[in-house]
Amino acid sequence: KDFSQVKFGETRILTTASENPVPEFGLVVGDESGVFWNQVDTEISQSTISFVLSRYAEVDFLLAAWQPMLELSYQFNQNLSFPYQEYSRMLATVSLIHPRAVAPGANGFEYLNGSFWLNQVVFPVTREQFCKDVKLACPMVRENVFILDPGDILSFVDGDFCHSIGGSNFVRCVSRDR
């Protein structure tokens, strides 16, 4: 359920609510080494942000919701213009959380073969563009904005982040194509 907490030794896992009308939630994982919030593709409210920040003084790493998906708009023949309001809300959410580092998370699929052209319609933002926009909208994260692929490792030690591209021994990225 939303805002449930489980403890494993010194590690706490907290579920976070989504304002989306589908059953989904994010996860905050915290221990003495740091705090990680995986938003998945949830829509986060100000009250959820306040609740998390009341439990954890700082979020070290945010795996942020970043893609204003237009799949349903396309399927139901609705407006396909760029969703400025939704995208602005996503950037504002990052700014309100004020994480030490951020990366775009979730939305790791694409249309293939004959449907490939749909990608630019229903997924209007690239990971690269989101990262550029986060740096503009949230200058406090400075150089701590990362694009992560399968097999990458992001380490957080003594307040510093280290991005090791392809550093995993058991996961690898078979193609740099999304």
Side-chain angles (χ1 to χ4, degrees):
K1 296 180 180 179
D2 295 340
F3 305 112
S4 295
Q5 185 169 288
V6 178
K7 194 171 180 181
F8 297 98
E10 295 301 312
T11 301
R12 293 181 293 164
I13 299 174
L14 172 71
T15 60
T16 57
S18 176
E19 301 304 311
N20 265 334
V22 296
E24 65 182 3
F25 55 86
L27 290 173
V28 178
V29 179
D31 63 19
E32 68 279 347
S33 67
V35 176
F36 164 61
W37 188 351
N38 183 356
Q39 289 183 328
V40 192
D41 59 358
T42 60
E43 187 176 322
I44 304 298
S45 69
Q46 174 64 50
S47 62
T48 296
I49 294 169
S50 296
F51 181 81
V52 169
L53 295 179
S54 75
R55 297 283 179 109
Y56 302 95
E58 183 173 47
V59 173
D60 294 300
F61 178 54
L62 176 67
L63 201 52
W66 63 279
Q67 182 64 265
M69 297 181 279
L70 298 174
E71 293 171 288
L72 293 178
S73 297
Y74 176 77
Q75 291 174 9
F76 294 115
N77 200 29
Q78 297 172 344
N79 185 353
L80 294 175
S81 60
F82 189 85
Y84 290 102
Q85 186 173 359
E86 183 181 357
Y87 189 59
S88 176
R89 181 190 48 74
M90 290 174 164
L91 292 170
T93 296
V94 174
S95 185
L96 289 170
I97 294 170
H98 197 92
R100 298 195 56 234
V102 65
N107 194 40
F109 76 94
E110 68 178 340
Y111 292 99
L112 300 174
N113 303 323
S115 299
F116 184 77
W117 64 273
L118 276 171
N119 292 318
Q120 66 187 18
V121 174
V122 299
F123 305 129
V125 178
T126 64
R127 296 183 309 166
E128 294 77 10
Q129 186 62 55
F130 176 76
C131 289
K132 287 179 188 176
D133 293 341
V134 165
K135 288 178 182 181
L136 291 172
C138 313
M140 68 278 192
V141 297
R142 292 180 299 278
E143 70 279 351
N144 291 332
V145 179
F146 303 96
I147 294 175
L148 302 176
D149 284 316
D152 289 0
I153 295 174
L154 185 65
S155 302
F156 174 66
V157 179
D158 297 328
D160 291 323
F161 291 90
C162 178
H163 181 195
S164 175
I165 297 172
S168 174
N169 293 329
F170 61 92
V171 175
R172 66 182 172 91
C173 188
V174 292
S175 170
R176 290 288 173 217
D177 186 353
R178 260 184 18 102

